[in-house]
Amino acid sequence: MIPFLDLKAINLRQSEAMHAALERVLQSGWLILGQEVEQFEREYAAWCEAKHCIGVANGLDALILALKALDIGPGDEVLVPSNTYIATWLAVSHVGATPVPVEPVEGTCNMDPARIAAAITPRTRAVMPVHLYGQPAAINDIVAIARQHGLKVVEDGAQAHGARIDGARLGAHGDAVAWSFYPGKNLGALGDGGAVTTNDPQLAERIRVLRNYGSRVKYQNEVIGYNSRLDELQAAFLRAKLPLLDADNARRREIAAIYQRELAGLPLTLPQVRADVEPVWHLFVVRHPKRDAIIEGLKVAGVGIVVHYPIAPHQQQAYASLNVPAGSLPLAERIHAEVFSLPIGPTQTDAQTLAVVQALRDVLRALG
Ligand SMILES: *Cc1c(COP(=O)(O)O)cnc(C)c1O
């Protein structure tokens, strides 16, 4: 059995450091917004090559707080990828704005900068590119177009901790980057967690106030805020894991290279990587029109497969009210119908990776 992601093994590597982190927090007696969160914010900002980091409760809140801090709300439109995890869209909806889908470049599945201008209306306030599957979107082009049109840029970095474009880490290309530390992400806590990074000190301060009841001084509330804080304990766990992240991402790249090499030439669409990016392979997503039959065959062979994602956001019941007609976002619809993700993670061995390759070859041969 080859698991899709062996979270237990991943976290047990840091068992000692995690126990030390727990003990530190217990001994400090301070559980919310203290030293651990402050230190993690400093360490993660430096790691992302960003000036500021604000720890929050989860990735969805990171997106929401970034939009809220940019004063985006009812009546506003925000451009989102048609092909993404639904959280990106939900954040826009939760601030009262309207998500407007933009189709991807087919090879990378990331937002197509060439389609942005046509989606802009007088109500458009922001663009939210997602660095999907761990591969940077064309963020420099997107930021350039956004600036021409006076739009803000909030990046969804939940799948791309440490990815680079033109040699620069993601972290502050747009106005803000939202991060998730959900356990299965490349940097995962032992529960929920998230953060926003930015180079804008005023935006950072607004998010800091918003995450803590709109308050800078206890029991004085300046704005209608949220309770969305990263726990001291989760920050301490994340500090124990951050030192492994570069090596973990490098290991993911090795596994991806094995897949790219061994699967080339098979009747399967492999991920394309732009020459100017260094992805971190949160997911290794391939495509085939007979996706469901392949997954069934791989399941029998003991290979864990997950589909990211089976239903496009505009086809979810939650967005029925947007009335996006079927067929109007053909790329997103086709991608959602054909994708499946192969096992990849920092503890996966070459032997496991080659066993996945062999199982996939066998299944594809049987399909004819
Ligand atoms: C995981 C994820 C999120 C949400 O993160 P949570 O911490 O689960 O709230 C947002 N966007 C993308 C692309 C994600 O993969």
Side-chain angles (χ1 to χ4, degrees):
M1 177 70 204
I2 298 162
F4 177 71
L5 180 71
D6 194 346
L7 261 186
K8 181 171 154 184
I10 288 170
N11 285 321
L12 278 175
R13 296 176 304 166
Q14 290 302 85
S15 176
E16 240 176 78
M18 302 269 201
H19 280 92
L22 168 63
E23 190 59 24
R24 230 174 33 239
V25 172
L26 282 174
Q27 292 296 341
S28 81
W30 196 276
L31 301 174
I32 300 285
L33 293 186
Q35 284 295 315
E36 297 293 335
V37 169
E38 267 177 40
Q39 300 266 24
F40 173 72
E41 289 175 343
R42 258 199 294 280
E43 290 159 8
Y44 192 65
W47 194 83
C48 290
E49 301 170 3
K51 293 209 174 91
H52 308 277
C53 172
I54 308 98
V56 300
N58 55 65
L60 176 58
D61 280 6
L63 291 164
I64 293 172
L65 293 176
L67 290 172
K68 195 84 191 164
L70 290 166
D71 272 324
I72 291 163
D76 295 336
E77 291 176 358
V78 177
L79 306 185
V80 294
S82 58
N83 175 53
T84 181
Y85 180 54
I86 197 169
T88 324
W89 288 46
L90 292 178
V92 176
S93 302
H94 281 304
V95 300
T98 304
V100 174
V102 174
E103 287 266 81
V105 176
E106 194 154 6
T108 64
C109 296
N110 266 326
M111 185 185 265
D112 185 350
R115 296 172 190 266
I116 289 177
I120 295 173
T121 75
R123 289 169 178 266
T124 311
R125 291 281 319 283
V127 191
M128 288 177 86
V130 179
H131 305 295
L132 200 65
Y133 312 148
Q135 175 157 191
I139 191 64
N140 294 316
D141 297 343
I142 292 171
V143 169
I145 296 163
R147 296 303 177 232
Q148 272 168 27
H149 295 271
L151 307 179
K152 300 295 184 186
V153 179
V154 174
E155 303 167 61
D156 183 338
Q159 302 190 355
H161 315 74
R164 292 179 189 271
I165 181 159
D166 278 339
R169 278 248 159 99
L170 297 177
H173 286 82
D175 294 280
V177 187
W179 304 96
S180 164
F181 307 121
Y182 178 78
K185 309 290 184 179
N186 287 33
L187 178 61
L190 300 188
D192 280 310
V196 180
T197 54
T198 178
N199 278 351
D200 178 341
Q202 274 143 20
L203 189 64
E205 184 59 16
R206 276 200 288 276
I207 294 169
R208 243 174 242 296
V209 171
L210 279 173
R211 78 167 165 187
N212 190 27
Y213 285 106
S215 171
R216 231 180 291 249
V217 177
K218 202 164 189 183
Y219 304 135
Q220 290 182 25
N221 305 85
E222 305 164 25
V223 292
I224 299 175
Y226 298 78
N227 174 359
S228 181
R229 302 169 297 215
L230 179 64
D231 287 346
E232 282 286 283
L233 190 54
Q234 295 302 342
F237 291 146
L238 288 166
R239 292 183 68 205
K241 289 185 76 176
L242 184 58
L244 287 190
L245 187 48
D246 277 315
D248 281 1
N249 284 341
R251 177 63 194 149
R252 286 173 181 271
R253 277 193 285 276
E254 287 173 1
I255 295 166
I258 294 175
Y259 281 144
Q260 297 272 24
R261 185 182 72 227
E262 299 293 326
L263 298 174
L266 291 181
L268 197 67
T269 307
L270 297 176
Q272 278 174 22
V273 179
R274 290 159 48 101
D276 59 350
V277 305
E278 186 179 83
V280 291
W281 300 105
H282 173 59
L283 300 170
F284 192 93
V285 177
V286 299
R287 286 172 57 187
H288 193 286
K290 293 187 183 152
R291 185 251 323 264
D292 294 339
I294 294 173
I295 294 176
E296 202 42 50
L298 289 173
K299 196 165 134 195
V300 172
V303 176
I305 297 288
V306 180
V307 173
H308 300 90
Y309 298 90
I311 303 172
H314 71 281
Q315 295 182 313
Q316 297 281 1
Q317 192 186 337
Y319 281 110
S321 61
L322 273 187
N323 288 317
V324 182
S328 63
L329 297 169
L331 289 179
E333 288 172 27
R334 187 139 37 89
I335 288 169
H336 281 77
E338 294 185 353
V339 287
F340 59 106
S341 306
L342 305 182
I344 193 165
T347 62
Q348 188 170 308
T349 64
D350 286 2
Q352 287 176 313
T353 309
L354 291 170
V356 174
V357 168
Q358 191 53 52
L360 192 48
R361 282 200 189 119
D362 294 344
V363 169
L364 285 169
R365 194 175 319 111
L367 268 184

